[in-house]
Amino acid sequence: MEAKYAIVFSALFFSLFIVGETAATGNWKLLKKSIGISAMHTQLLPNDRVIMFDRTDFGQSRILLPAEKCSNATNPRVDCTAHSVELNLLDRSVRPLTVLTDTWCSSGSLASDGMLLQSGGSNNGERAVRSIRPCANCDWTEDQRGLVVPRWYASNQILPNGKVIVVGGRGQFSYEFIPKSSLPSDFTVFALPFLRETRDAVENNLYPFTHLTPDGNLFIFANTKSILFDYINNLVVRNDYPVMPGGVSRNYPSTGSSVLLPLKLGLSNSTIDAPDAEVFICGGAPPTSYVTAIRGTFLPAAKSCGRLMITAVQPQWKMEEMPIERVMGDMLLLPTGDVLLINGAKKGAAGWYLGREPVLNPVLYQPESSKYEIMEASTTPRMYHSTAILITDGRVLVGGSNPNSNYNFTEMFPTDLSVEVFSPPYLSSGSRPQISWVKPGTELSYKQAISIGFVPKRNETLDNVSVTMIAPSFNTHSFSMNQRMMVLKTSQLRQVTSSYYIIDCLAPETSNIAPPGYYLLYVVQNGVPSRGKWTHIS
């Protein structure tokens, strides 16, 4: 046991050593010592409440369900503890939620009406579709036959028509759509041979990275390869993307992460603004890392990152190197357009007991300059089954970590029930711009002219002001599904008084660029964002 804790101490010492040698910025704050469960899956709702859940066969959690949820004699429960909770960000209260089907390694999307639509899992949850609405007393509803085939380790993506595509899963080289309706296509499973082609002896292609492109197609990356896919006609549109260099697998269990970099609107001369789209993928592990870790040898994770302009005529990977190796790391788009790399380990792979040397320092990446900056370290290892999401005020909510097969608080990396927040450097600069109002309102339509009244950051020029929109993502297993950011086209900035301004901009032009649903709207002044304002586009 002493040797195990020595590993954790050495990792922490290494992290602190890095901070001492660099200009570490940002800061951490414990938000809640325990929410009762380990936050394996996380989604922010448009009422500023966060839904979190782990799995139903972990054993007893540390939060009880209400008595009435366990008193039904026709449905006896040995475990009357909750495995899902709602965290209220406004008062930090935690409300237990009832989920009965096994959510282990499932997927999710925020539907266009703000409902969390959640699919798949293990055991009795492998074909389940669950939903919960953003209201004060709402709870999960579950359909154990909501999927046509079992889907475990699948990915979700919200589509321009408001439907959700569910891609892949263990042993499933196919996709289908949810929620189901009366349409025959909703009950059809469509073959996707690409998923079979990218599977190796260790799989390494689970939780495929899926990104909706501005032309309405789906970019799918698995293991080292990628395609552009027309899901409507079940047709591969492009298969000329080169293999990502480096000999590293990027998907589960050699888990890296991926984001679609901010879509910059208004830069095209075409009638319909179809911006360039660039994917950014970081981290991962050698293809054999999972098997090797099972045998007791933990291979170093990858330092490499790659950028691919997927709309280019002849796309090529632009490879870079981040300052710290990282497997099982999360990548989040910040309101400024920067990318935060957070959580994970320096060695090993995803899976029970298979990660070593936690990476305690987040890294901030600036796409415009390809600059990486090491941030202040956390004191809490966030290993397998950790999550991270952007919240309304621009901070990052971090929770979870359970690389154990049940709730276990004595292992080298114990089950973690806490949640903390990381404040990026832009929150340390004192004042920030404040949105006063949005006209014609926060219910938007495509191509609509928008005016935003705001109070600027004090004592600074307004040479660099932008408006960004971010879709809240469903985060699990190092992939933030549906994560999306647009930099809106702006026309003019008007000064009304000495301390009051109006900026005019244009809503996204099509649902291919911004699928219908809820977004956080930010005014960014000289690299400092306002607090986000919820908007809805349809």
Side-chain angles (χ1 to χ4, degrees), residues 40-186:
M40 185 190 298
H41 312 76
T42 304
Q43 171 76 60
L44 175 66
L45 300 184
N47 59 358
D48 281 327
R49 300 186 183 189
V50 180
I51 303 298
M52 298 173 169
F53 49 95
D54 48 31
R55 53 183 289 197
T56 59
D57 60 350
F58 258 7
Q60 292 193 341
S61 74
R62 298 301 185 267
I63 183 169
L64 288 172
L65 287 168
E68 63 270 18
K69 296 292 185 179
C70 283
S71 60
N72 186 351
T74 62
N75 183 26
R77 291 176 56 87
V78 175
D79 182 3
C80 278
T81 61
H83 291 277
S84 177
V85 300
E86 177 194 77
L87 172 65
N88 188 333
L89 292 176
L90 302 180
D91 62 10
R92 305 185 189 180
S93 61
V94 176
R95 183 169 67 96
L97 301 173
T98 310
V99 62
L100 302 178
T101 55
D102 193 357
T103 50
W104 185 24
C105 305
S106 51
S107 53
S109 292
L110 196 66
S112 58
D113 63 356
M115 177 178 68
L116 174 55
L117 193 63
Q118 210 272 317
S119 59
S122 183
N123 301 314
N124 70 342
E126 61 185 7
R127 288 180 56 191
V129 172
R130 312 164 193 89
S131 61
I132 184 169
R133 294 188 177 278
C135 63
N137 298 307
C138 286
D139 208 338
W140 287 103
T141 60
E142 303 180 68
D143 178 1
Q144 289 197 34
R145 292 292 180 266
L147 293 169
V148 179
V149 299
R151 298 207 182 267
W152 191 22
Y153 301 97
S155 294
N156 287 14
Q157 172 64 55
I158 189 77
L159 299 173
N161 64 0
K163 283 281 191 179
V164 173
I165 187 171
V166 188
V167 180
R170 175 160 283 171
Q172 301 295 343
F173 313 108
S174 62
Y175 64 95
E176 60 182 289
F177 301 98
I178 57 172
K180 305 301 185 189
S181 65
S182 58
L183 295 174
S185 59
D186 279 354

Side-chain angles (χ1 to χ4, degrees), residues 249-270:
S249 294
R250 307 287 177 172
N251 295 82
Y252 182 91
S254 297
T255 304
S257 192
S258 173
V259 296
L260 180 69
L261 290 176
L263 299 173
K264 298 178 181 179
L265 310 185
L267 300 182
S268 172
N269 293 322
S270 61

